[in-house]
Amino acid sequence: MSMPDTVTFYMEPELCESARAGKHNFIGKVAQVVQAAGMGVDYAPFGPRGAPSGKGRTLSHIKAPPDADGLCFRRAYHYPFWQIEQTSERAAWDVAQRLFDPDPSEAEEAARFYAFWQKRLFGKAPQSARRDGFIYVPLQGKLSAHRPFQICSPLDMVRACLTHTDKPVVATVHPNEVYSAPEIAALEAMAKADPRLTVQRGGMDDLLPYCDYVVTQNSSVAFNGYFFGKSALLFRKADFHHIATLAEADDLTEGFAAVQTAAPDYAAYIHWFWQRNCINAGRPEAEETIAARLRRFGWMS
């Protein structure tokens, strides 16, 4: 297969400078693999519309590739785990299509791996996790919009929590999102109408250890909840949906009942997801894993 001489990484300006200076571990490893395959490497900041199309092979950070010659790369929730994919839509990633099939012979390794990352990411908090009787609902953006990939709008998701359970609900707006005045007003009106609803900005570290479970579209908070043994009810398919309960628009009652009793093997899942289905940039075999991903998309023979 013929291939262009140069692969251009497109990313945010600060990340671009880090990559140019050779200070980004994962990007540096990808660059080494690309160069070993006979291609050059260049780094460029995103333009107003992201990466330009028609410029040959590109790797875009988080954003959708500009054309069929592009791929995207994204951290898999925490360093040093990464994904390289053809799309920025996480529900379409390879791992999202796979069946969760842990190897029983890896149970002890998975338990050690899980315990290590529990402590590494959250210290002692997972060991004292409990259920204090409330639902944690981390919100993302576009609260009033029912987009095609969602079961309902985020606001309707909050309403569903109040309708289908009698528990208190803590809904959090994302610290980095910009919300419109009507969106915030709608949330505040819901809280005024039902005293079970509390609305606040962020607060994951204070809420995950004590909630009963997480309800969200596909927020990474639900993935983090796995480290606390907290089940998740997803109103949209995500890349980490395998052990979550998936909400169905025509039977939300069943979904809320199921998530309350769900008890998946969190250790096996985190090990399977990260070690078997992501690129661990801290491992000796990281470059071979990167090469395998590029071969998967026809960039290398």
Side-chain angles (χ1 to χ4, degrees), residues 73-93:
F73 66 101
R74 179 172 184 156
R75 188 179 66 204
Y77 304 107
H78 293 282
Y79 294 111
F81 303 98
W82 293 82
Q83 295 283 23
I84 296 175
E85 289 285 347
Q86 279 185 314
T87 174
S88 60
E89 179 55 54
R90 289 185 284 138
W93 286 1

Side-chain angles (χ1 to χ4, degrees), residues 91-170:
W93 286 1
D94 283 350
V95 64
Q97 315 310 314
R98 290 179 182 141
L99 177 69
F100 170 46
D101 56 347
D103 185 342
S105 69
E106 296 181 341
E108 289 187 12
E109 177 188 346
R112 288 193 297 269
F113 183 84
Y114 181 65
F116 172 85
W117 283 102
Q118 281 182 306
K119 183 176 181 180
R120 177 73 172 268
L121 295 173
F122 302 106
K124 297 180 180 179
Q127 307 312 314
S128 58
R130 61 178 189 260
R131 294 188 175 189
D132 282 357
F134 70 91
I135 303 169
Y136 178 17
V137 186
L139 298 169
Q140 293 154 284
K142 301 184 184 299
L143 299 184
S144 59
H146 178 191
R147 291 180 277 179
F149 48 77
Q150 298 172 328
I151 298 300
C152 62
S153 73
L155 287 176
D156 283 338
M157 179 177 67
V158 176
R159 292 188 184 97
C161 293
L162 296 170
T163 300
H164 293 277
T165 77
D166 58 3
K167 296 179 183 290
V169 176
V170 180

